[in-house]
Amino acid sequence: MRKPDFATSSLGLLAAAVVVLQATAIFAGPTLPYYPASGIGQAVPAATATVMQPPQADAAITAAKARYATALPRVRLFTGAADAPLPGTVTSVRRSHEARQLFELAGYDLAAVRAGESDVPRLFLAQVPNDLRKLREVEERKSIFIKTVLPLILRVNEEIAEDRSRLLALDARLKAGAVPGPAERRWLNSLAAAYGLEAAQPGGLPDLAALLLRVDEIPVALALAQSIEESGWGTSRFAREGNALYGQYAWSESAGLKPAGSGPDTAHVVRSFDRVIDAAAAYSLNLNTHPAYHDFRAARASLRAAGKPLDAEALAGHLLRYSERGQDYVRTLRIIIRANRLDELQQASLASGMVVAMADEAPNRRDES
């Protein structure tokens, strides 16, 4: 068996690639801007370099700060139309040992996150490591999967929360008699269109109450549980070949992968994505817009109105139509949440700053076999 590249390169994990990415993110997935949601429209926070910074890094970081002194495009909820033109992706994080080394380098500790003692680093990987199914240690497989997917779920929720906050503020102003300006109208109608709502009449505004019902976060524990169940902890063919963690269907053969054993008359494929973050964003948009999940959205709104936290187990009960298994599927999600203590991650949040890990030299890369 071939020894891992890191056996000879020590902590050189993708080091030079960080400089190539203008030091604006850590080994990033390609659909995300690398700043906290509160930074929209503000300057991007300066990166903090740690671990054996190479001589050329200072110039790279300076250039990066100048280039991204204004906010980068945001990840839009994935509709299949187009991807945001964001910085490139380090696609070489394909193996579990690479991801493990990266997490250790960043001090990514799930126990500390569960205890509320640490935030989740902004580590956005483009895909789940494709060798998870080969790991003998079950707990290690689970840990790597959760550490990979959790930041992506949090980032999608972070953007939804920002839109919701702005929408609530605008709703309050309109109820107080304010008249929305042209920019506010454009933003509101654009948001409504993204969530499948239209203005009641030409030139009018969408129903803000209906929009608020849709523009809301998906509980972290529920999003994790469904990704676990639908992808087999990232080991399924759909996860490995199509970054598909949520088993979403498409009806164009070019849009995804056919299930094994399906015949020529099979109408659907499992929708594939360029990156895992696209799958997470599409999943959120699905729950927030599809008529099948109206009860889910109504129950979530009731929790909000009562000032209660979003209860993943309770809300799972409104996803009977997500799977043909119905109530058995709901029971499975609840078992996954409890057995893996996913509810302890419900209050997790992304770190407000960014850490760029660098080393003296890059590892020797070889073709993956």
Side-chain angles (χ1 to χ4, degrees):
M1 181 175 68
R2 189 179 72 191
K3 291 183 179 180
D5 296 335
F6 290 95
T8 57
S9 351
S10 185
L11 294 178
L13 176 65
L14 303 179
V18 179
V19 179
V20 174
L21 289 182
Q22 295 85 31
T24 59
I26 305 178
F27 308 96
T31 60
L32 302 175
Y34 307 109
Y35 48 77
S38 59
I40 301 294
Q42 303 173 11
V44 179
T48 302
T50 63
V51 187
M52 300 180 294
Q53 184 169 311
Q56 69 271 31
D58 287 338
I61 293 175
T62 300
K65 289 178 182 177
R67 181 175 180 183
Y68 297 115
T70 57
L72 296 174
R74 303 166 63 209
V75 54
R76 293 314 317 168
L77 294 177
F78 188 82
T79 62
D83 295 331
L86 297 178
T89 302
V90 178
T91 57
S92 53
V93 181
R94 295 180 180 274
R95 303 295 191 185
S96 297
H97 68 271
E98 295 174 344
R100 186 189 314 113
Q101 184 99 10
L102 174 57
F103 296 148
E104 291 175 358
L105 199 62
Y108 191 176
D109 184 351
L110 275 183
V113 173
R114 291 178 188 276
E117 299 170 353
S118 175
D119 289 332
V120 177
R122 289 177 180 267
L123 299 177
F124 305 125
L125 302 190
Q127 65 274 315
V128 175
N130 60 14
D131 63 344
L132 286 179
R133 68 193 188 284
K134 298 179 181 179
L135 296 183
R136 295 181 180 180
E137 294 294 332
V138 174
E139 290 306 315
E140 181 181 17
R141 182 192 309 145
K142 290 182 175 183
S143 175
I144 291 175
F145 180 82
I146 290 176
K147 285 182 176 180
T148 298
V149 178
L150 178 58
L152 307 179
I153 293 171
L154 291 175
R155 179 60 194 123
V156 173
N157 271 345
E158 191 177 57
E159 181 173 305
I160 294 173
E162 180 192 304
D163 283 336
R164 181 175 176 82
S165 178
R166 183 176 175 183
L167 188 57
L168 284 168
L170 179 56
D171 185 45
R173 289 182 56 237
L174 295 180
K175 288 178 178 177
V179 177
E184 289 177 321
R185 284 180 175 274
R186 285 193 298 271
W187 174 79
L188 190 55
N189 284 315
S190 175
L191 185 67
Y195 281 85
L197 294 176
E198 297 180 356
Q201 57 187 10
L205 294 175
D207 183 339
L208 266 63
L211 191 52
L212 282 167
L213 196 66
R214 299 186 176 206
V215 183
D216 204 349
E217 301 169 50
I218 308 299
V220 171
L222 180 59
L224 281 171
Q226 290 198 264
S227 70
I228 289 166
E229 172 63 12
E230 297 292 339
S231 74
W233 290 95
T235 65
S236 72
R237 177 172 68 95
F238 304 116
R240 288 182 285 110
E241 298 179 13
N243 292 318
L245 298 189
Y246 291 99
Q248 298 171 89
Y249 285 0
W251 280 263
S252 169
E253 190 168 338
S254 62
L257 301 171
K258 275 198 170 186
S262 60
D265 295 333
T266 301
H268 72 272
V269 295
V270 175
R271 190 175 184 180
S272 296
F273 301 90
D274 290 337
R275 295 149 295 231
V276 183
I277 185 64
D278 292 332
Y283 157 77
S284 294
L285 187 63
N286 186 29
L287 291 194
N288 280 332
T289 60
H290 199 287
Y293 312 122
H294 177 271
D295 290 347
F296 165 84
R297 297 190 291 272
R300 180 179 59 186
S302 295
L303 291 173
R304 291 292 196 198
K308 297 179 179 179
L310 299 183
D311 187 324
E313 287 194 44
L315 291 174
H318 299 279
L319 296 181
L320 292 169
R321 295 177 63 185
Y322 199 94
S323 167
E324 294 177 353
R325 294 164 53 204
Q327 193 59 54
D328 284 343
Y329 180 74
V330 170
R331 278 194 289 268
T332 298
L333 292 181
R334 288 171 172 166
I335 289 171
I336 290 172
I337 291 171
R338 295 168 192 166
N340 297 282
R341 298 159 44 213
L342 300 182
D343 57 316
E344 295 178 4
L345 298 172
Q346 184 60 39
Q347 301 305 316
S349 60
L350 290 169
S352 59
M354 297 169 291
V355 177
V356 177
M358 300 180 181
D360 283 327
E361 58 184 23
N364 296 319
R365 301 298 307 165
R366 287 178 286 193
D367 291 339
E368 304 286 2
S369 59

